[in-house]
Amino acid sequence: QQLGLDEQVEILPYDKRWEFPRHRLKLGVQLGAGCFGRVVKAQAIGVKDCEDTVKTVAVKMVRSQTNATALEALISELKIMIYLGAHLNVVNLLGACTKSIVKGELLVIVEYCRFGNLQTYLVKHRNHFINQVDEFGNFLTDAEMQERCKMSGKTMESMNDCTAVNLNEMEMTAQHSAHLNNECSVPVAEANRSNEASAADGLEHGDDERPQSMWVCQQDPETARTHQSSICTADLISWSFQIARGMDYLASKKVIHGDLAARNVLLADNGVAKIADFGMSRKMYYKGNYKQSGQGLMPVKWMAIESLTDRVFSTQSDVWSYGVFIWELFTLGKVPYPGMEANHELIRQLEKGYRMEKPDFAPNYFGEIMTSCWKMDPKERPTFSQIEELICSQMESTV
Ligand code: ADE
């Protein structure tokens, strides 16, 4: 029996080594907001291993300093992040300002992911999607791809970043450490200049570049530049794989996310996808995707059948949500169960065995992954590490 998030958090300590001086943090524009919490962009001087340099960060805070539940939830998330440690596919903690916590102010400093959340990103790039599978869910051959390129006016060369998928473990590890060590090199004066510029343009997230796929073959910058805003099937597969990895890490630490969805996955540089909002998830509910269900607002369409009927959350219920996340990926950010808005109707249909179909853009094996994630019996669902392995082996056989 796994402990619920609330119970887990009670016993976690706050480690003072994470404390960051408030005066070294300059808050900027808002990046996102929910009912109780908000996230702003900020500049931090000398945060986590970045001595005397300025780093762009994201800062989570409560919306109202008098909301005790919201504050408690943020404290929980902070403690979970400290306990978790760093992983490439998780939005990592950089520090916290807890000195004014008695006044209701808590600032949790996390990595800034400049492409924002995956759901919005997918919708925004829907019209530039390069589909690499045919109508039967099979990967296109090079010749077919060439034909498709000709029709869409693109060159095969410019598509190479999408088709050359490399799941080499060594490369992943190298990218991982490179990623964790980068972004620390901006001198203060220089950063202040660019800081002013970005504050002036008021942009939430970089819009000008697309993150490159994790497994992109190193390509020349010109190719990257001319092929900016498209996403392709290989990107979607890459993100599905990375999120399985991140979730496998959470599961290995016995942390239940409870709200895995594309809106809670953030995109960083180099096509890196990161899981966000664990810990807050069951208390902090964004408007829109959540429905009142008993005690509070619930992300009904992402919830496992046993979570809906018995309020049971587990790593296996996270696996169910992962299936819905995959569906969101391959529909380029559609809302699940289109047209089904009544909770009781959704639950009734799920209990009768109804499940969503494989999206057209998904390779066949993702249909099988979804089906297995949505098994009625949680024990019959795959583990995140099995999902990881499956995606990996499939990719190797199609490259
Ligand atoms: N929106 C919410 N959290 C964010 C983060 N860490 N980086 C960028 N945008 C965000």
Side-chain angles (χ1 to χ4, degrees), residues 65-257:
Q65 297 189 357
T66 54
N67 186 333
T69 315
L71 187 64
E72 257 172 48
L74 191 55
I75 296 172
S76 301
E77 183 164 19
L78 171 61
K79 286 175 159 189
I80 290 175
M81 283 178 145
I82 292 173
Y83 159 76
L84 260 181
H87 187 276
L88 177 66
N89 303 119
V90 164
V91 175
N92 292 298
L93 180 68
L94 299 173
C97 306
T98 67
K99 291 272 152 70
S100 301
I101 208 161
V102 283
K103 285 189 269 166
E105 189 192 75
L106 169 64
L107 303 179
V108 176
I109 309 163
V110 298
E111 293 173 306
Y112 172 66
C113 303
R114 71 189 181 107
F115 297 99
N117 85 65
L118 192 52
Q119 202 271 336
T120 308
Y121 190 84
L122 289 169
V123 171
K124 206 147 109 190
H125 293 80
R126 213 177 250 174
N127 297 334
H128 305 278
F129 180 63
I130 300 163
N131 180 20
Q132 297 170 282
V133 298
D134 66 16
E135 64 269 41
F136 308 109
N138 297 314
F139 267 89
L140 296 172
T141 62
D142 268 3
E144 288 166 328
M145 202 63 211
Q146 211 143 19
E147 192 57 34
R148 191 165 284 192
C149 291
K150 242 192 278 167
M151 274 162 36
S152 68
K154 289 192 171 73
T155 64
M156 190 70 177
E157 222 170 46
S158 73
M159 309 273 282
N160 272 346
D161 60 337
C162 292
T163 47
V165 178
N166 174 13
L167 284 178
N168 185 312
E169 194 74 24
M170 295 294 287
E171 194 177 326
M172 283 288 289
T173 313
Q175 292 223 18
H176 185 174
S177 51
H179 175 79
L180 286 180
N181 294 328
N182 72 5
E183 299 168 14
C184 287
S185 51
V186 193
V188 175
E190 205 177 297
N192 277 343
R193 257 181 280 129
S194 63
N195 189 10
E196 280 158 21
S198 68
D201 68 25
L203 279 181
E204 274 187 20
H205 291 292
D207 211 15
D208 46 344
E209 283 170 69
R210 67 179 281 261
Q212 290 177 10
S213 167
M214 187 79 183
W215 302 302
V216 165
C217 273
Q218 284 313 307
Q219 54 177 342
D220 75 279
E222 183 57 19
T223 311
R225 198 186 59 74
T226 52
H227 188 48
Q228 279 168 0
S229 55
S230 309
I231 45 179
C232 60
T233 309
D235 291 321
L236 304 181
I237 297 170
S238 167
W239 294 328
S240 68
F241 175 74
Q242 293 181 56
I243 295 311
R245 276 208 151 183
M247 288 305 298
D248 187 27
Y249 182 70
L250 257 57
S252 75
K253 296 274 193 172
K254 306 253 182 286
V255 168
I256 303 160
H257 189 290

Side-chain angles (χ1 to χ4, degrees), residues 302-316:
W302 284 261
M303 281 164 68
I305 185 74
E306 70 277 10
S307 311
L308 288 167
T309 55
D310 305 323
R311 295 173 184 276
V312 176
F313 290 83
S314 64
T315 293
Q316 291 95 313

